[in-house]
Amino acid sequence: EEKEKEEKEKEEKEKEEKEKEEKEKENEKKSKKKKKTRGKKKKKKEKKKGRKKSKKKKKKKKMVDDIYKKVAPIRKNTFKFKGFHELLGSIHVDSLHREADLSLDPFNAHSFFQEELNRLKEENLTIEFTQLRDSLFPFTHSLALLLHRKKDVIKVIIDAIDKEKLASSAIKSRQDTHFPVLAAASVLIPAFARDIREEFVEVFPDVIHALIRNIRPSFPENVDCVFSCIAFMFKFLNRFLVVDIQQVITLHHSLLFHYSSHLSQFTASALSFLFRRIEVNEVSNNLKLLIENSLAIAQNDRHNLVSKAISNLLFESVKGVGFKLRTMSIPFVVQIIKCLSELIFPNIPSQPLSDGFTLISKISSDILSEWQTLLKKYLKTETCQVIWDSFERVMND
C-alpha cells in the first residue's frame, strides 16, 4: 500500500511538472505574440508619423512656393513655335463651294472676315479688341462693302496694332504685356485676304510692313501671331504673290536676314513655299535677282547672314518628305547649281572684275557650300546620287 501511495504521489508530481512546463511554454508564446504586435504597432505609428511629417513638409513647400510666386514669379519657357508647314496643315480651303457662293449672290455671299469677327467677339473680351471691333463693324455688312473699303479696313487694323505696341512698350513688367489686338489681327487679316483674294495684293505691302514693325522677338506670343498671319496669307494668296515674287522677298528682307536664327528660318521656309511654285525656266533669273537685291545688306559685314538665309530658302524649296527630295525638284536643282556656278565663275575674261562681282561670287560660293551641307545632313545616301548627277550634268554643259 505504501508503495502504491508513493507511486501515485510521483505520478501526480510529474503531472504537475508537465502542466507547469506547458503553461510556461504557452506564456512564452503569448509574450512573443505580444512583442510582435507591439512591434507592428510601433512600425505603423512610425509610418503614420513619417506620413504626417512628409505632409507637413509638402504643405510648407507649397506655402513657400506660393509666397515666392507672389513675390517673384518664375517664367517657365514652355512655349513651342509651330513651323510653317505645321501651320499650313491646320488650314482647310474649300474653294469649290466658295466659287459657287460668289457666283450666285456676290452681295449676300458668305464672308470669312465677318465670321471670324463674330467668333472673336465671344472669345476676346478685352477693351482694345472691343474698340477695334466697333470700328470695323460698319464695313462688315456685305462682302461687296468689304471689297470697296479694303484700304480703310486694313488702315483701321494697322492703326490698332501700332497703338497696342505703344501701350505695351510703356509697361515695364514682362508678364503684364499682352497682345490681344495682334492676336485678333493675325486671324482677321488672313480671313480678309481669303475673302477678297487678288484684290488683297494691293494692300499686302502695308500689312507686311506693319507686322515687321510690330514684331518683338523677346515675346514668343507676339512672334507666333506674326508667323501665323504670314503663313495663312501665303496659303490663300500664293497664286497671286508668285507673279511678283521678288517684291514679296524684298518686303521680307528684314526678317529673312535677321540676326535671330528662328525668324530667319521661318521666313526662309515661308518664302520657299512661293519659290517652289516658280517655273523651272525662271529659277535662275529669280535666284540672280535675289542675290543682287541682297548685296546692300551683304556689304555691311552681313554676308554670312545673307548666304545662310538664301541657302535655307533653296533647301526648303527642294526638300521633300521622308529624307528625300521633292518629286519635281531634279530640274530645279540643276537650275540652282547652274545659276550659282555662273555667278561664282563669271565668263568675263577681257574685263577686270568689279567689287560687286567679287562680292556676288563670294556670296554664291558660300550659298552653294551651305546648301550642299544642308542637303547632305537631310538626305539619305540613296537620294544623294541625284545631286551628284545634277552636278555632273552642269559640268558637262
Side-chain angles (χ1 to χ4, degrees):
E1 288 176 358
E2 286 176 0
K3 283 180 181 179
E4 287 178 357
K5 284 180 183 179
E6 286 176 1
E7 287 177 358
K8 284 181 181 178
E9 287 175 358
K10 282 181 182 179
E11 286 178 358
E12 287 176 357
K13 284 180 182 179
E14 286 176 359
K15 282 181 182 179
E16 287 176 358
E17 287 176 359
K18 283 181 181 180
E19 287 176 356
K20 283 181 182 180
E21 287 177 359
E22 287 176 358
K23 283 181 181 179
E24 286 175 359
K25 286 179 181 180
E26 286 178 0
N27 291 327
E28 284 178 0
K29 285 180 181 179
K30 286 179 181 178
S31 63
K32 284 180 181 179
K33 284 181 181 180
K34 284 179 181 179
K35 285 179 182 179
K36 284 181 181 180
T37 51
R38 284 174 187 172
K40 286 179 181 179
K41 285 178 181 179
K42 281 183 181 179
K43 284 180 182 179
K44 284 180 181 179
K45 285 180 181 179
E46 287 175 359
K47 282 181 181 179
K48 284 181 181 179
K49 285 181 181 178
R51 286 171 188 171
K52 285 179 181 178
K53 285 181 182 179
S54 63
K55 283 179 181 178
K56 285 180 181 178
K57 284 181 181 179
K58 285 178 181 178
K59 282 180 182 179
K60 284 181 181 178
K61 281 183 181 179
K62 282 182 181 179
M63 291 284 286
V64 172
D65 291 337
D66 293 335
I67 292 163
Y68 187 70
K69 282 177 184 177
K70 287 176 183 178
V71 177
I74 301 166
R75 185 180 176 84
K76 293 182 179 179
N77 189 14
T78 56
F79 195 90
K80 186 180 178 182
F81 286 106
K82 283 186 177 181
F84 179 76
H85 298 289
E86 284 183 77
L87 288 169
L88 290 187
S90 62
I91 306 169
H92 175 67
V93 182
D94 192 1
S95 59
L96 295 173
H97 291 86
R98 177 70 175 154
E99 293 280 350
D101 291 341
L102 285 171
S103 60
L104 290 171
D105 193 356
F107 290 98
N108 295 320
H110 174 257
S111 172
F112 294 108
F113 185 82
Q114 189 176 4
E115 184 183 342
E116 292 296 333
L117 196 66
N118 292 330
R119 183 180 64 81
L120 290 169
K121 182 181 177 180
E122 298 176 358
E123 294 179 2
N124 197 337
L125 302 174
T126 57
I127 299 166
E128 296 86 358
F129 175 71
T130 51
Q131 291 173 356
L132 175 64
R133 189 195 68 209
D134 293 339
S135 55
L136 287 172
F137 183 73
F139 307 118
T140 59
H141 293 297
S142 66
L143 185 60
L145 184 62
L146 275 173
L147 180 59
H148 181 64
R149 302 293 295 275
K150 62 184 175 185
K151 290 183 180 178
D152 297 329
V153 172
I154 291 298
K155 189 178 182 301
V156 168
I157 295 171
I158 289 170
D159 290 341
I161 295 168
D162 292 335
K163 188 179 176 182
E164 185 184 50
K165 187 186 178 183
L166 290 171
S168 62
S169 59
I171 298 168
K172 292 182 180 179
S173 64
R174 188 184 176 86
Q175 283 197 340
D176 294 334
T177 52
H178 301 287
F179 308 95
V181 176
L182 185 63
S186 66
V187 178
L188 291 173
I189 291 170
F192 190 46
R194 193 176 180 183
D195 277 331
I196 63 174
R197 297 179 188 175
E198 65 267 23
E199 297 292 332
F200 190 86
V201 177
E202 187 181 350
V203 294
F204 181 77
D206 298 330
V207 173
I208 294 298
H209 286 310
L211 291 173
I212 292 168
R213 190 168 60 244
N214 287 284
I215 197 166
R216 299 177 71 178
S218 57
F219 292 90
E221 295 86 0
N222 176 286
V223 177
D224 189 57
C225 290
V226 174
F227 281 1
S228 61
C229 187
I230 291 170
F232 293 164
M233 281 194 294
F234 277 19
K235 177 69 176 178
F236 298 131
L237 302 173
N238 60 76
R239 286 185 297 164
F240 317 112
L241 295 175
V242 169
V243 177
D244 194 1
I245 192 170
Q246 288 303 320
Q247 184 189 1
V248 177
I249 293 170
T250 50
L251 286 171
H252 291 81
H253 268 185
S254 57
L255 288 178
L256 184 62
F257 306 125
H258 201 275
Y259 287 106
S260 174
S261 60
H262 183 68
L263 292 176
S264 178
Q265 180 66 36
F266 181 87
T267 312
S269 61
L271 292 171
S272 70
F273 181 72
L274 299 177
F275 198 80
R276 65 174 63 179
R277 279 162 173 73
I278 301 169
E279 292 184 4
V280 178
N281 299 326
E282 297 177 359
V283 171
S284 59
N285 292 328
N286 280 291
L287 185 54
K288 283 178 184 177
L289 286 171
L290 173 59
I291 295 168
E292 287 172 3
N293 292 334
S294 61
L295 282 177
I297 299 164
Q299 284 173 355
N300 299 325
D301 297 329
R302 295 176 67 186
H303 60 273
N304 289 327
L305 289 173
V306 171
S307 60
K308 282 181 181 178
I310 295 173
S311 61
N312 277 325
L313 193 152
L314 296 175
F315 169 68
E316 291 289 337
S317 61
V318 170
K319 186 179 78 170
V321 183
F323 304 103
K324 294 179 181 179
L325 294 172
R326 290 193 304 119
T327 52
M328 301 296 290
S329 63
I330 295 167
F332 220 79
V333 170
V334 172
Q335 290 295 322
I336 290 167
I337 295 167
K338 187 181 279 189
C339 174
L340 292 173
S341 61
E342 287 174 1
L343 292 172
I344 295 166
F345 307 106
N347 295 319
I348 312 173
S350 59
Q351 298 177 0
L353 294 176
S354 61
D355 294 334
F357 264 115
T358 53
L359 186 61
I360 286 171
S361 63
K362 187 179 179 182
I363 292 167
S364 302
S365 63
D366 291 341
I367 290 166
L368 186 61
S369 62
E370 286 175 10
W371 180 59
Q372 196 174 354
T373 53
L374 287 171
L375 287 171
K376 280 181 185 177
K377 286 179 182 178
Y378 180 74
L379 297 175
K380 292 181 179 178
T381 53
E382 301 168 358
T383 52
C384 278
Q385 188 62 36
V386 177
I387 299 164
W388 301 122
D389 292 340
S390 55
F391 267 108
E392 189 178 357
R393 195 184 303 173
V394 172
M395 294 295 288
N396 291 330
D397 294 339

